[in-house]
Amino acid sequence: MNIKLIVFSGFVTASLGIVLGLATAEMSRGELKPIQLTNSQLTQNSPYKHYGLIGATIGFIVGMSQECVRELKYIKEQERQDFYQNNYN
C-alpha cells in the first residue's frame, strides 16, 4: 500500500473538512456555543477553532479510509488477474 498517497489524501480531505467546519460555525453563529475545556487558555480562544479542528479530524479519517479502500481494491484486482493468468492460461 502506498502510505504517502494515503496520508496525502487524508490531508486533502482534512482541508475540506476545515472549510466545512468553519462554514458550519458561521451558519450557526447565533447558536454557537464553544466547547468547554478544562484549560482556561483554550476556552478563551475563538470557538471557530474547535469546529475547524473537528472538521479536519473527520476529513482526515474519511480521506485516509477512502484511499485505503481504493488501494485494497486495486491490490485485490491485481491478485485476481494474477490468479486467472496462472490458472487458466
Side-chain angles (χ1 to χ4, degrees), residues 17-69:
I18 289 172
V19 171
L20 289 175
L22 293 176
T24 302
E26 184 65 29
M27 285 189 283
S28 65
R29 181 184 281 188
E31 304 167 10
L32 188 63
K33 296 178 182 163
I35 298 171
Q36 297 295 323
L37 299 173
T38 56
N39 189 350
S40 63
Q41 181 184 6
L42 291 175
T43 57
Q44 293 173 355
N45 289 340
S46 172
Y48 292 107
K49 178 177 99 173
H50 300 295
Y51 287 92
L53 184 63
I54 292 168
T57 303
I58 292 171
F60 190 75
I61 291 170
V62 167
M64 286 185 64
S65 301
Q66 183 180 10
E67 190 59 37
C68 282
V69 168

Side-chain angles (χ1 to χ4, degrees), residues 71-84:
E71 291 282 327
L72 290 173
K73 185 177 177 183
Y74 177 75
I75 291 170
K76 186 77 167 180
E77 187 63 34
Q78 291 296 335
E79 289 175 354
R80 184 176 293 140
Q81 286 178 357
D82 291 343
F83 176 78
Y84 287 132

